Amino acid sequence: MKHENPHHKHSHPHSEPQHAHPSGGHAAHTGHDKHAGHTPEMFRDRFFVSLLLTLPILYFSEHFQDWFGYRAAQFPGSAWVNPVLGTILYFYGGLVFLKGALRELRARTPGMMTLIALGITAAYGYSLAVSLGLPGKPFYWELATLIDVMLLGHWLEMASVQAASRALEELSKLMPTTAHRILGDRIEDIPVSALKEGDLILIRPGEQVPADGVVVEGASTMNEAFLTGESRPVPKEPGDEVIAGAVNGEGALKVRVTRTGEATTLSQILRLVQEAQASRSRFQALADRVAGWLFYIALTLGTLTFLVWLALGRDFNFALSLAVTVVVIACPHALGLAIPLVTVNATALAAKNGILVRNREAFERGREIRFVALDKTGTLTEGRFAVRAVYAHETSEEEALSLAAALEALSEHPLAQAIVEAAEGKGLPRPEVRDFQAVPGKGVEGTLGGKRYRVGRPEWAEELGLKVSEPLKRGLKEAEARGESVVALMDEARVLALLALADRIRPSAKEAIRRLKAMGITPVMITGDAEAVARTVAQELGIERYHARVLPEDKARRVRELKREGPTAFVGDGINDAPALLEADLGIAIGAGTNVAIEAADLVLVESDPLDVVRALTLARATYAKMVQNLFWATGYNAIALPLAAGVAYPWGIVLSPAVGALLMSLSTVAVAVNAMLLRRAALTAL
């Protein structure tokens, strides 16, 4: 997977997972407040230790002995094996849920943690009372299996997606650490932090700009694509502004610093990312809401069961055992696995299809998406130039391309490579060049076959006063109307040919747009590029709505506006896309983009294929459907089990014992697991 921008090379440690924290930030928006300070490893370790403690509990359980017709080994103190192990299990395995329940109750939002805590506390409290002399059968096995299944569920849930927010860290890594300050006739290297407004600095070819400033001397081009979305290298001459983080091209520049530190454009984008992270609303998982309802149902029904049976004249022990059965049965094992099992399957399926899931809620939000906003450069297009047309006059197109490629082969200009590739693709010969010379900000010149040729900006031809024929003028007008970069091939007297270069559209982009529309989703293109470029790309792809010349800080605003019309996904790859990725209901990063975009996204498309956007949204819809089905299977049995456990059918001699309740619970758990596995088949056929 390409996580790198060509100008952005540093390590990207994915190994250290960071998890949600209540204070805000990107991780917090995953709705994982209940997992504050938790790690998948912690749940895994507790699960395996609890599982080991469960085995002797099951062996010594009276229920298990009755069902399987055996008698457990008897020895002095054997009656206390289950109470002791049950107590260890309650505090060791259950502590995480008890603490979570306290947090939920303090926030007055009882959910999964509170429901689990209620179930295990009722089972443990009643079992301990029975061990100490209360008539009845203890629930230690129920306590143990409930803790095991819930630990497994939370481990799967956290391990399936380890959401980490390193966006800000990646942004700060982009900046160079030293700057070359010019003092009179000498140059000194100083830390970027020591730069002050008004300092004169030198930016050498290929270096990153350390601070915002204005060019004082020199000519070059700058790659600002990953900051502004502008696909073309931007020419820089005295008086032009340069942006911190941009990459200098072929010429050395002297720049007067205008903004440093917090005031730079890059720092402002960083602030936008922080704001977007902090303002992101927490999305409460569906299972948590269901658990919240079940908590109230269990509490109410358990209390009612106890009071009604007492009022009907039954003894305290009978009323209490039925009440506890109701509370324990209300906490379904399957509910703890309903969402995690679907998530694990969906995450694995997504990975097989080149979609990395960084936020499990992506599946829940993805099914509602009505608008997909797409960045242009690097997303719908490859961010690499290709020769679209050669306008030649008084020479053939092949000869013009051959001559231009011969000169450009020695140039470092970004457009040069595209011209060389075009000539190589057609198998054209490359004449030998003598007396080659690069003219910064203009182009290159050299002698081929005894004649002097120049390749460079059309403006250079104007400055030299060279003749331009009418067909070439028409070609120039057409290329400029399309927003393309134009390179002129000149001899000593006239312009021989014009080469129009455009950012190459990704092969699958058109099909992706067609399929999004078929799903009832409206594609919207948002780009920092020029109106003419945006219009040309939008027409070719069949996109009706587009916004051009959108500044980095405005992308998030455009996404906000779209969100008012309906749930919106944003697909992007640049640093300038990070605030928009966070602002969107669903952030999708193109894998070949910069690390910061990847860190700000919910989903990452490894192959940089726009069709993967369609696959991701199809998978999201299928996954959400499975989640709803699983919640039905996980809680549906409660509709039958709870009234029976409460003794509604007691007059007819039917009371749901914990044993039968456990059987129903097991069946619903199996149904949930099988249904989650079926997702692989359902979603793959749709993909």
Side-chain angles (χ1 to χ4, degrees), residues 230-232 376-377 381 385-391 473-486 499-505 510 525 527 529-541 546 548-549:
E230 177 72 58
S231 55
R232 289 185 281 192
K376 180 188 75 70
T377 310
T381 65
F385 281 88
V387 175
R388 183 194 62 83
V390 178
Y391 302 97
K473 281 180 182 170
R474 283 197 299 275
L476 182 61
K477 204 173 261 183
E478 183 186 316
E480 284 180 342
R482 291 173 63 92
E484 292 167 345
S485 296
V486 180
L499 291 84
L501 294 99
D503 191 358
R504 200 191 308 245
I505 289 174
K510 198 166 188 174
M525 187 170 77
T527 178
D529 225 330
E531 169 70 29
V533 179
R535 186 175 58 248
T536 302
V537 173
Q539 281 171 352
E540 282 188 35
L541 293 176
Y546 68 89
R549 289 250 176 253

Side-chain angles (χ1 to χ4, degrees), residues 45-333:
D45 296 346
R46 284 181 190 245
F47 166 70
F48 283 118
V49 172
S50 299
L51 194 59
L52 284 173
L53 293 174
T54 300
L55 296 174
I57 289 176
L58 295 180
Y59 172 71
F60 284 104
S61 163
E62 288 181 39
H63 288 111
F64 270 65
Q65 292 181 54
D66 292 346
W67 296 339
F68 296 108
Y70 69 90
R71 280 288 151 258
Q74 299 294 310
F75 52 84
S78 62
W80 287 99
V81 170
N82 278 5
V84 170
L85 292 181
T87 301
I88 295 169
L89 200 53
Y90 177 72
F91 287 106
Y92 173 73
L95 190 63
V96 63
F97 303 116
L98 298 172
K99 283 182 175 175
L102 275 175
R103 262 202 304 276
E104 286 181 353
L105 290 171
R106 278 200 201 106
R108 295 182 184 174
T109 54
M112 185 69 81
M113 293 295 196
T114 315
L115 182 63
I116 298 166
L118 177 68
I120 63 174
T121 302
Y124 174 65
Y126 181 75
S127 300
L128 197 61
V130 170
S131 295
L132 295 171
L134 186 79
K137 283 191 177 180
F139 285 121
Y140 288 116
W141 69 272
E142 181 73 42
L143 164 75
T145 54
L146 188 53
I147 287 174
D148 291 346
V149 169
M150 291 305 171
L151 285 171
L152 175 64
H154 285 78
W155 171 31
L156 288 175
E157 180 184 26
M158 292 191 74
S160 65
V161 184
Q162 298 191 335
S165 176
R166 299 194 194 92
L168 305 180
E169 184 189 314
E170 296 296 344
L171 271 171
S172 57
K173 278 185 193 170
L174 279 175
M175 293 302 294
T177 51
T178 57
H180 318 301
R181 186 164 62 184
I182 301 170
L183 290 172
D185 57 353
R186 67 190 178 87
I187 297 169
E188 63 172 6
D189 283 359
I190 61 162
V192 169
S193 55
L195 277 179
K196 294 192 292 294
E197 199 178 315
D199 281 352
L200 189 65
I201 57 172
L202 174 70
I203 302 166
R204 297 189 176 112
E207 289 185 338
Q208 276 187 298
V209 180
D212 292 2
V214 174
V215 178
V216 176
E217 190 184 312
S220 185
T221 58
M222 288 252 171
N223 181 342
E224 296 178 352
F226 68 116
L227 275 165
T228 63
E230 177 72 58
S231 55
R232 289 185 281 192
V234 185
K236 297 293 178 186
E237 293 174 342
D240 290 339
E241 192 176 6
V242 295
I243 305 170
V247 179
N248 189 20
E250 68 283 353
L253 297 175
K254 287 183 182 176
V255 170
R256 180 81 61 197
V257 175
T258 54
R259 289 187 294 272
T260 61
E262 293 298 308
T264 62
T265 307
L266 191 60
S267 292
Q268 285 168 6
I269 291 172
L270 190 143
R271 180 179 49 77
L272 283 166
V273 173
Q274 281 175 320
E275 284 174 7
Q277 284 181 334
S279 66
R280 187 80 172 263
S281 63
R282 298 205 230 295
F283 188 98
Q284 195 187 14
L286 200 55
D288 265 350
R289 293 203 293 278
V290 173
W293 303 330
L294 278 176
F295 167 74
Y296 289 118
I297 291 168
L299 212 54
T300 308
L301 205 54
T303 309
L304 272 175
T305 301
F306 181 69
L307 295 175
V308 167
W309 284 112
L310 278 184
L312 289 172
R314 296 304 302 236
D315 65 78
F316 178 85
N317 289 347
F318 178 83
L320 182 64
S321 70
L322 283 186
V324 170
T325 304
V326 165
V327 171
V328 172
I329 280 176
C331 186
H333 292 50

Side-chain angles (χ1 to χ4, degrees), residues 216 247 298 378 380-381 453 471 543 566 594 607 634 650:
V216 176
V247 179
L380 291 169
T381 65
Y453 291 97
I543 297 174
T594 49
E607 297 297 324
Y650 184 74

